[in-house]
Amino acid sequence: MPAVKRSTTAVTFVALACLAGLSPQAAYAGGRGGEGSENTTPQPHGNATDDGTLSATAGAVVFDRAKNGTGEAAGPVTSSTTWTPPACYYAPKYTPDQLQKHKESIWGVESTGYQWDAEQRAKYVDGHPYKDFNKDKAGKGYWWDSYVTEGREGDPDAADCNEDIFWVDEGQAPPADVREAITPEMLAKLAYAEIRVPSTKVELAPAGTTKVNLPTWTWLDTAKFKPVSVTASVPLLGVSATTTAEPVSLRIEPGTGDAVTYPASGVCEFDSGHIGEAYAKGKSDETPPCGVEYLRSSGDGSFKLRATITWKIHWTGTGVTDARDLPEGTFGATQDVVVQEIQSVNR
């Protein structure tokens, strides 16, 4: 199936309204997606205007990233499971007149073969099952087609959206068997891929260079580790969803087996808005609540300490007020730690 490139705008993670109890206006307006084996790349066609046409952004998802993580070291989370955000989705793309122009431009060059063109005419023109591109329903719904998630154009999973273009009446949900169709949950999953979290570089004491058998205190600047969120929406449908990531734990990996961690698991939990404890004068004989102790020198080099934050991720959206979980995500980084032998003087 051809990759369909869509336009994007900076806005928050948004989910669609197809849940029970929503008004028709807050729910769906659309149809079924995919271009089969046609060698074309139709562009998205955006919001509905007063005359019933679609503007330039059609059913494409837009994102609000105002509450997302920022900074050069910020990055995307990696799912803690094998799950990944969707590479494609279905949303409104054509009015009846627009679909006619799109299809006839393909049929006119006869590049897809007589049999394919005849089957398509039968489906969209001759009443099997659609008649004359559903022009009698103009203004009462839209033709839905596939979109490829931005940045996933070369992903083999983007070919999963291979359904033929389909119609959805305004206020109705898309067919239940089209699992990639836009819903609040689908929007939440798309927003998951847009989440950015801050660097996981930790504070160390001693800083830079530590000593063998000396506990090194580890903590995070919690001012940088607040919940972040992205909102995704499809303006044409008037629905949205917000996906939020909150830090829950820090895993310390010393970079060598010749070390012990505090706690022994190497996992420091967030507690009352902070993780670890900043070292203060007079605590040299205490065991750090979060830290590492190296048992040998790093020689002329350094150990690569890796700090990984686990983020709990959940979403709410149109018609969904109680937070629903998505797979946890992780984001980590390494930093150099120089470990020296404690020097003693014999007299």
Side-chain angles (χ1 to χ4, degrees):
M1 151 170 185
V4 181
K5 204 168 187 176
R6 64 176 177 83
S7 60
T8 51
T9 308
V11 197
T12 308
F13 208 76
V14 187
L16 288 189
C18 74
L19 300 182
L22 297 182
S23 66
Q25 291 75 18
Y28 291 99
R32 195 172 289 215
E35 269 309 301
S37 61
E38 294 178 12
N39 186 24
T40 60
T41 306
Q43 297 298 311
H45 285 70
N47 298 333
T49 60
D50 292 340
D51 61 2
T53 62
L54 288 171
S55 73
T57 54
V61 175
V62 294
F63 299 95
D64 179 353
R65 304 179 180 88
K67 296 181 180 180
N68 206 7
T70 58
E72 291 183 4
V77 296
T78 299
S79 171
S80 58
T81 70
T82 57
W83 176 86
T84 57
C88 61
Y89 61 92
Y90 296 99
K93 188 175 287 187
Y94 303 106
T95 64
D97 284 343
Q98 288 171 338
L99 181 61
Q100 179 181 14
K101 291 178 181 178
H102 169 62
K103 288 291 185 182
E104 289 183 345
S105 68
I106 296 170
W107 300 338
V109 296
E110 300 180 348
S111 62
T112 50
Y114 172 81
Q115 182 177 352
W116 173 264
D117 292 351
E119 290 174 354
Q120 292 286 290
R121 287 191 178 93
K123 183 168 188 174
Y124 295 105
V125 181
D126 300 335
H128 305 287
Y130 305 113
K131 181 73 173 178
D132 194 23
F133 298 100
N134 270 7
K135 288 183 180 179
D136 61 327
K137 290 189 174 184
K140 301 177 182 178
Y142 296 100
W143 291 103
W144 285 42
D145 197 5
S146 61
Y147 294 79
V148 173
T149 306
E150 185 178 15
R152 304 287 293 277
E153 291 80 0
D155 192 323
D157 290 343
D160 289 345
C161 296
N162 55 12
E163 299 279 347
D164 273 351
I165 295 170
F166 59 97
W167 178 267
V168 177
D169 288 328
E170 184 175 359
Q172 299 299 309
D177 61 345
V178 183
R179 60 188 180 87
E180 297 92 352
I182 278 296
T183 63
E185 183 175 5
M186 173 61 78
L187 284 171
K189 291 176 178 178
L190 292 170
Y192 187 110
E194 300 296 320
I195 289 287
R196 297 294 181 269
V197 295
S199 165
T200 54
K201 183 176 181 179
V202 293
E203 303 292 335
L204 300 173
T209 300
T210 188
K211 303 295 183 181
V212 172
N213 298 324
L214 175 68
T216 298
W217 291 59
T218 303
W219 70 95
L220 290 172
D221 179 356
T222 53
K224 299 178 181 178
F225 289 89
K226 304 297 183 182
V228 298
S229 64
V230 173
T231 298
S233 61
V234 176
L236 180 63
L237 300 176
V239 293
S240 72
T242 298
T243 295
T244 301
E246 301 179 68
V248 293
S249 65
L250 166 70
R251 176 179 290 278
I252 297 295
E253 298 172 270
T256 173
D258 294 319
V260 294
T261 56
Y262 303 100
S265 64
V267 177
C268 308
E269 303 291 341
F270 272 76
D271 181 22
S272 302
H274 62 84
I275 189 165
E277 182 180 332
Y279 177 79
K281 187 176 181 180
K283 293 184 176 181
S284 58
D285 294 330
E286 297 181 20
T287 298
C290 183
V292 59
E293 181 177 333
Y294 288 95
L295 306 180
R296 69 176 176 88
S297 166
S298 60
D300 294 332
S302 61
F303 292 125
K304 300 291 185 181
L305 181 146
R306 183 169 183 81
T308 302
I309 298 287
T310 295
W311 298 78
K312 180 179 175 60
I313 301 178
H314 54 82
W315 67 277
T316 58
T318 305
V320 181
T321 55
D322 295 330
R324 299 186 180 182
D325 290 337
L326 288 169
E328 290 183 342
T330 61
F331 184 64
T334 59
Q335 58 197 86
D336 292 329
V337 178
V338 175
V339 182
Q340 298 176 341
E341 295 283 358
I342 296 177
Q343 301 297 317
S344 60
V345 178
N346 294 320
R347 296 183 180 274

